[in-house]
Amino acid sequence: MNKISVVGLGPGGLDEMTPKARRAIEQAEVVAGYNTYIKLIENILGGKKIIGRAMRQEVERSQLAIEEALAGRNVAVVSSGDAGVYGMAGLVVDMLLDLPETQRPQFEVIAGVSAVNAAAAVLGAPLMHDFAIISLSDLMTPWERITRRVRSAAEGDFVIALYNPKSKRRTTQLAEVQTILLEFRDKDTPVGIVTNAGRPGESKILSTLENFTREEVNMFSLVIIGNSQTYVKAGFMITPRGYERSQPLCD
């Protein structure tokens, strides 16, 4: 059966992949994805045909995956986290919908655990109220537009999760974001940094809006900045939802 499944792998560990995502990969004859993500699942790939490519070759590998499906094969296109959150779902679905309906292979987008969910779980419960996710990568989005989004989220008092916060090329953007946020939030606002969420070497740091840029942050980090109500308790970051506890759990 010619079918394309666009699969979210979760944050990295096989035990954090959904059963549905794993079944789609195991049933596929061809698996396409970024080389780093292919490596994360190499233990379950068996003798499948692999279409592995480097970063910024997304269009090429999507086209190759579609060609495999058109040839009658069952294909899985993989992304880390959730395929619909900074993943491959948008591109693959758009390209498939360009095909005449009579020629188009079946397709399905299979959700995965996004990095923001994995990082939030490590930190405690920082996403219990409205939040915004913003990528600081300016490869496909102008930096001016990114800063407008940061400012709007800050003014709206959203908890803010930052993807792609820093790289070897982008070394100043995180400090610019900090400056914008300090216009709207107290300098002691909690900030959590989780690196390699759900992968070997996972680590977390709790800091403040004033100091978090002094911490180690890289492309494998996800930064969560609290809103005006977020607090830290016993080493965990919590954003209250508004539930009222009628009495303490113990006297």
Side-chain angles (χ1 to χ4, degrees), residues 205-224:
I205 296 171
L206 290 175
S207 186
T208 63
L209 186 55
E210 180 182 33
N211 296 317
F212 82 99
T213 54
R214 302 174 188 175
E215 305 291 349
E216 176 63 30
V217 177
N218 57 48
M219 282 292 286
F220 297 103
S221 303
L222 196 140
V223 178
I224 297 182

Side-chain angles (χ1 to χ4, degrees), residues 18-164:
T18 68
K20 186 174 183 178
R22 183 160 183 156
R23 281 196 304 272
I25 294 169
E26 291 173 343
Q27 293 169 4
E29 300 165 85
V30 181
V31 177
Y34 175 41
N35 289 326
T36 299
Y37 303 153
I38 293 290
K39 188 172 179 62
L40 291 174
I41 57 171
E42 60 186 357
N43 291 342
I44 62 171
L45 292 181
K48 303 179 189 301
K49 180 176 180 179
I50 305 301
I51 301 173
R53 292 293 185 275
M55 187 70 77
R56 304 186 73 175
Q57 294 181 322
E58 291 82 4
V59 174
E60 178 187 353
R61 68 173 178 263
S62 296
Q63 184 62 51
L64 291 171
I66 291 171
E67 290 173 2
E68 291 286 346
L70 290 171
R73 299 180 182 91
N74 192 356
V75 181
V77 179
V78 300
S79 296
S80 69
D82 183 281
V85 180
Y86 303 122
M88 293 295 294
L91 177 59
V92 174
V93 171
D94 184 61
M95 292 173 72
L96 286 168
L97 294 178
D98 281 342
L99 296 173
E101 189 172 356
T102 54
Q103 299 178 23
R104 188 184 306 148
Q106 295 183 51
F107 68 89
E108 181 180 16
V109 178
I110 299 176
V113 178
S114 177
V116 70
N117 300 119
V122 173
L123 292 170
L127 304 182
M128 285 295 296
H129 218 303
D130 299 336
F131 64 94
I133 300 173
I134 301 172
S135 171
L136 298 193
S137 173
D138 58 358
L139 289 176
M140 291 177 281
T141 306
W143 180 245
E144 180 184 355
R145 187 179 304 166
I146 293 171
T147 56
R148 285 205 311 270
R149 291 172 177 173
V150 170
R151 182 173 295 277
S152 296
E155 188 172 11
D157 198 29
F158 286 88
V159 174
I160 301 173
L162 300 177
Y163 276 65
N164 307 310

